[in-house]
Amino acid sequence: MGETGAVTRVGLVLGGGGYTGTAFHAGVLGALADVVDFDGRDAEVIVGTSAGSTAAALLRAGFPPQEYVARMCGEALSEQASRVLEGIGPLAALPSQDLDFRAGMAAPELALQILKRPWRYRVGTFAAAVLPEGRVSTEATGVSMGDLFVDWPPEKTWLPAVSLSSGRREVFGRDSFPVLGDAVAASCAVPGLFPPVVIDDDRYVDGGCHSVHSLDLLADEALDLVIVSAPMAISGPPGSLSQRARTPIRRQLWREARGVQATTTPVIAIAPDAALAAVMGLNSMDVTLRPEVARRAYRYVSHGLLGLRHLFD
């Protein structure tokens, strides 16, 4: 950070959250661009987990963050935005699916490994191992990002997923560089809903099984500022009993934020309040909620950012 206090090296963390999470990211990225003049495409490093991986890929492909809300609402886009979206098509509605436990566990060997040494693994990883493999094609998520890039983006773009052989987090774009579309699909492969994505003979599932945000990855990046878009966390007290499910995610975010702040890097975490969380509802895969969530998130975040404009001057 320079003597004037303006930030130049910004890390951007885009957390998991399904279709409503994608819409929340749209509001956050649009408000950042319009209110504090921060363009997410210029981030020094982007960490995108699950739904956040799709937003990260689009940003690195050059999609203007100012038009993200318009995309969520099905409104007309500029020529530049339309060009980026060519080849991936519109976001399709998600087919319904019930868990089929007759199919057995997705990774019984990993489940046994975790039971022997549970302290080494995250609860989400155990759930990924014991749940059956999903049957909904990853194409239904609209994450066919392979046409966006011939090679991996030159800028730091990290997409976490979880290996079903080791139970460990793999950070695509840092640890290995598969086809970007495969990395996005792997990071979005919600256990029990989507089948694991095979990359280099290993099967991968949603990076949120390890951490909804993976903010901890930025602890050693010597950044001026880290901005987190956290659609599954909550700001302030939950407004209903169902919203209390967001509290553990907020605690995980706080733990990771403290680790980054310990390196003297400030963290701004943006999460919905109880009112916005109520609009987002319980089903994060409800595609019909995207327009309303995106619009409300934009207004909510724009108001909250007004006092931070000096950081980006």
Side-chain angles (χ1 to χ4, degrees), residues 78-211:
S78 68
E79 182 179 347
Q80 178 186 9
S82 299
R83 187 167 55 249
V84 172
L85 294 179
E86 288 178 1
I88 68 172
L91 193 60
L94 186 71
S96 60
Q97 181 203 18
D98 295 323
L99 294 179
D100 184 6
F101 288 99
R102 295 171 299 177
M105 300 181 187
E109 293 182 359
L110 175 59
L112 181 60
Q113 185 177 319
I114 294 174
L115 287 173
K116 291 179 178 178
R117 297 177 177 85
W119 58 89
R120 293 187 177 182
Y121 301 90
R122 304 290 177 94
V123 173
T125 303
F126 181 68
V130 300
L131 284 171
E133 287 194 6
R135 294 173 292 172
V136 177
S137 169
T138 52
E139 294 297 319
T141 68
V143 296
S144 304
M145 300 289 180
D147 291 339
L148 290 179
F149 300 93
V150 175
D151 300 309
W152 198 271
E155 306 89 354
K156 287 184 179 180
T157 309
W158 296 347
L159 311 180
V162 172
S163 163
L164 284 183
S165 62
S166 68
R168 303 303 183 191
R169 176 176 61 184
E170 176 85 3
V171 183
F172 297 122
R174 188 195 70 171
D175 303 335
S176 60
F177 296 84
V179 174
L180 182 127
D182 292 343
V184 171
S187 188
C188 290
V190 179
L193 185 60
F194 301 110
V197 175
V198 179
I199 297 176
D200 293 333
D201 298 323
D202 201 351
R203 297 182 300 150
Y204 292 93
V205 293
D206 197 314
C209 294
H210 179 90
S211 170

Side-chain angles (χ1 to χ4, degrees), residues 7-14 28-29 32-33 36-48 52 55-65 149 152-159 218 221-229 312:
V7 296
T8 56
R9 301 183 71 249
V10 180
L12 181 61
V13 176
L14 304 170
V28 171
L29 294 170
L32 285 168
V36 300
D37 198 27
F38 171 70
D39 190 320
R41 294 173 293 186
D42 298 330
E44 184 78 12
V45 54
I46 302 178
V47 179
L58 283 176
L59 285 174
R60 290 310 197 201
F63 188 86
F149 300 93
W152 198 271
E155 306 89 354
K156 287 184 179 180
T157 309
W158 296 347
L159 311 180
L218 298 186
E221 289 300 300
L223 298 165
D224 293 330
L225 176 69
V226 173
I227 300 172
V228 186
S229 178
F312 299 86

